Structures are given as structure tokens and as C-alpha cells.
Amino acid sequence: MRRVWRYITAFAISLIASAVVVAPAWAVSVEQLGANYQVAVQAYEAAVVERAQNADEIAGIEENIARIDEVLERSRGNLADTAVALYKESRGHDALIEIVFASSSFTEAVERLDLYAKVQKRYAEQAHEFAEQQDRLLVRRAELEARKLEIESRVTEAKQAADDAEVALKKAMHTDGEKYHQVQGNNATCGATSFTVGVNILLGEERFTDNVEVWKGAGFQGDSTAALGLRGRAWLLANGLSDQIGIEELATDIRTTDALREQLEAGNLVIISSGSGSTWQRADGTTAAKGSFPDGHWIIFYRYEDGYFFANDSSVVAAQGAGVAYDEDEMQQWLDGRGNHFATIMWAK
């Protein structure tokens, strides 16, 4: 494997000088995206509750309308039923004639007619009252139905917002980063391979699968041992991705787990190298042989979660190199294995 750090050519030095003023477009932090996701979920849950309440209220209105329909129907027949009860009306005869001829005197006939009129008026008033209640309920139901459409729209929008927030959070956390692992095509492409894996992670697809071609391409031109920020930026520009992905070497480097965690929690990927003094972990729980990388080796860290730093190591197959986990102590030991790591970050714009 080629030495990770060697003297930079005059051309590269000039590029570094020209890039000093370039400021990275920092990604939204994982913490912020997590908060956004929680807010979106709460908004969705509130909309669902409102939808249920609206449905319950509509059901209640429907029940009341049905009940009033029954009462109105009964009210319309109550007059005839009452006449039968009071005046022993026989069906097929006129009630008023029965009242008159059944009376023993004119006074009794007047009294019976007056009582009949009062009963008829009372039932008519009740029917009118129920009809007014029914009209009010119908108006209220129409209002609730209109509100139902608005709520459904809010539920749909809130669900989409929650889904989008979840996707953004997962993308920033790079929870599926291990699936983009690649084995380096030769002993000189570990830097270009880490870069290629980073590009695919940020794009969310395995678009570039030949890391040797990337290594041969624009910017790298057969060298990925140093200045990955500059070389990667040139490659992104040549491949039409500079508006989607940013890359920059950190002037302060990364020498502590706190510094590495800060970058990962900001949603950035970190391409970083170390050397023979580091213990290199494997995804299967083993470690690389001591002194495996005397000239240094690049790997890419894509995620921090629950005290573990997750990396893809291109020197070995996926069973050993995809999703390699370093705990806090292992990570610090790895960082202490060499004085400088030339840490380079990548982020989605």
C-alpha cells in the first residue's frame, strides 16, 4: 500500500492556498433533525386525534338526526292517535263529525272541539320544534363534513411531513452506511475507495461501484494518498455532483473521540487515516494483525450511536469491513496510533 502522506506537489499546494477561503455548507445536525422529527410526529398524532374527534362528533350528529326523524314521524301521527284515545274515533270516519255527533249538547261539543284544537296545536308546536332542531343538526353536520375534509388534508400533510423528517433523520444518521462498503481495487485506492463509499452513502444509492475508476478519474488521477478534500472536490465537479455533496479537509484535524463524535452528530461523514500504532477493529469482533498498516490506511466513519463509532474499512471484505464498530476506548486508541490523521469531512448539501 502506498504511503498515506507524502510530499505534496507545487500544484497541490497552490490548490490548497486557493481553497483556504472555501467554507463548507454544514449539514443540519442530527440533533436538530431528531427534534424536527419529534415535532412532525406530534403534529401528525394531533391531527389523527382531531380526525377521530371529528368522526365521533359526526357520528353523534347522525344519531341525533336519526332520533329526531323518528320523533317527527311519531309527532305527525300523534294527533290521530290522541283523537282515537280521547274521542274513540273509528278509522274511516271524520274525527270532527264524530266529536259533534257524539256530544250530548252544544256546550260539550264546543269543549271537545276546543280540547281537540289544543292537542292538535301542541303536537304541531312540538313537530315544529323538532324540525328546527333537525335543521340545526343538518347545518352542524355540514360544517363538520367540511371540517372533516380540512382535517384529512392536514393528516395527509402531517403524515408526509413526519415521513420526510424521518427520512432526513435516517439519512443524516447514515443508519444504512454499512451496505455501501466496497473492497479497494488495489493497494493504492483506500483513499479513493473511502471517498467513493462516502459519495454513495450521501446519494443513498450504489451509483459508483468501481473505485479504481474513481481513483483514475478527475482530481485523483491515480493518487488518493493525500489532499482528499481537493481531489474529491475536483472529482465531484467533473461528475456534476458539486451541488449535492461537499468535501473539505479539516485544518484542525481530528485527534479525540469528542471531535469525531461532533462531526458525525452533525451529519457529516469522516474520511480519516491512521497507521501502525493503531489497533484496527473488524466487523466480526476480531482485530487486524498488529502493524498491518505501516504506511497508513484510510477508512470512512459514517455514524455514531450509543457509544460506538461505525466505519467501513476497504482493506477487507464486507464480513470484516462493513459496519466496523469502535467503542470510545478503541476509538481513542486508534486515534492515538498516529499524530496526524488528515481528517476530511463529506456532507450532503
Side-chain angles (χ1 to χ4, degrees):
M1 179 177 293
R2 294 188 182 181
R3 186 177 301 277
V4 169
W5 179 254
R6 66 185 185 183
Y7 293 109
I8 302 174
T9 63
F11 170 72
I13 291 175
S14 67
L15 286 177
I16 291 174
S18 67
V20 169
V21 296
V22 177
W26 300 105
V28 178
S29 72
V30 172
E31 183 178 4
Q32 289 174 304
L33 289 171
N36 292 346
Y37 174 62
Q38 291 299 323
V39 169
V41 169
Q42 290 170 4
Y44 170 64
E45 291 175 345
V48 170
V49 169
E50 186 179 7
R51 179 174 64 183
Q53 292 173 340
N54 176 263
D56 289 343
E57 193 168 355
I58 289 176
I61 293 290
E62 294 285 0
E63 184 177 342
N64 285 337
I65 289 174
R67 179 178 58 80
I68 288 177
D69 282 342
E70 293 178 2
V71 172
L72 281 171
E73 188 64 29
R74 288 199 304 270
S75 295
R76 294 185 184 100
N78 275 340
L79 180 58
D81 294 340
T82 303
V84 170
L86 290 176
Y87 312 113
K88 304 184 187 331
E89 173 189 325
S90 298
R91 292 194 178 275
H93 294 80
D94 187 277
L96 295 178
I97 294 175
E98 283 291 325
I99 289 172
V100 172
F101 283 100
S103 300
S104 59
S105 66
F106 177 75
T107 301
E108 183 181 354
V110 171
E111 290 175 350
R112 287 189 174 189
L113 287 171
D114 182 59
L115 180 58
Y116 185 94
K118 288 179 179 178
V119 171
Q120 184 183 44
K121 181 181 179 182
R122 175 55 186 155
Y123 281 117
E125 289 173 348
Q126 286 183 339
H128 181 69
E129 290 172 4
F130 284 122
E132 287 183 338
Q133 288 184 36
Q134 186 185 53
D135 288 342
R136 288 194 294 271
L137 288 172
L138 290 172
V139 170
R140 179 58 179 159
R141 182 175 65 179
E143 292 172 350
L144 289 173
E145 290 291 350
R147 184 179 167 198
K148 177 182 178 180
L149 296 176
E150 295 175 2
I151 294 172
E152 285 294 344
S153 178
R154 286 204 301 275
V155 168
T156 300
E157 292 174 359
K159 180 63 167 60
Q160 186 61 55
D163 289 345
D164 291 345
E166 182 179 17
V167 169
L169 177 59
K170 288 182 176 180
K171 186 174 181 180
M173 292 179 68
H174 312 301
T175 55
D176 61 348
E178 65 183 70
K179 79 178 187 179
Y180 298 101
H181 171 271
Q182 289 185 21
V183 177
Q184 61 201 45
N186 59 45
N187 288 334
T189 62
C190 60
T193 302
S194 294
F195 169 79
T196 304
V197 170
V199 169
N200 287 339
I201 289 175
L202 293 174
L203 291 176
E205 59 178 291
E206 296 183 86
R207 187 181 302 182
F208 302 97
T209 58
D210 190 338
N211 52 74
V212 173
E213 284 301 311
V214 173
W215 174 72
K216 291 178 179 178
F220 293 101
Q221 296 175 326
D223 186 356
S224 64
T225 58
L228 292 188
L230 295 171
R231 299 179 190 280
R233 192 153 48 247
W235 187 93
L236 290 169
L237 181 62
N239 286 272
L241 293 172
S242 58
D243 61 336
Q244 298 180 52
I245 296 174
I247 183 170
E248 180 165 307
E249 184 174 337
L250 295 176
T252 55
D253 201 20
I254 290 178
R255 296 183 177 86
T256 66
T257 56
D258 287 342
L260 179 57
R261 184 188 313 110
E262 181 180 353
Q263 292 296 332
L264 295 174
E265 288 184 339
N268 299 325
L269 306 177
V270 180
I271 302 175
I272 189 168
S273 68
S274 201
S276 59
S278 300
T279 299
W280 299 75
Q281 304 298 319
R282 295 289 182 242
D284 60 6
T286 62
T287 58
K290 190 173 181 61
S292 293
F293 303 105
D295 296 326
H297 175 54
W298 293 101
I299 61 175
I300 183 167
F301 284 89
Y302 58 86
R303 175 171 145 233
Y304 173 83
E305 186 174 3
D306 298 332
Y308 287 90
F309 300 82
F310 293 89
N312 284 339
D313 188 336
S314 65
S315 67
V316 286
V317 296
Q320 290 186 303
V324 181
Y326 288 77
D327 65 25
E328 294 277 350
D329 292 337
E330 292 165 346
M331 193 73 255
Q332 190 59 60
Q333 188 282 328
W334 188 91
L335 290 168
D336 291 341
R338 191 168 68 178
N340 203 353
H341 305 286
F342 315 103
T344 300
I345 61 171
M346 299 178 67
W347 66 92
K349 291 184 175 180

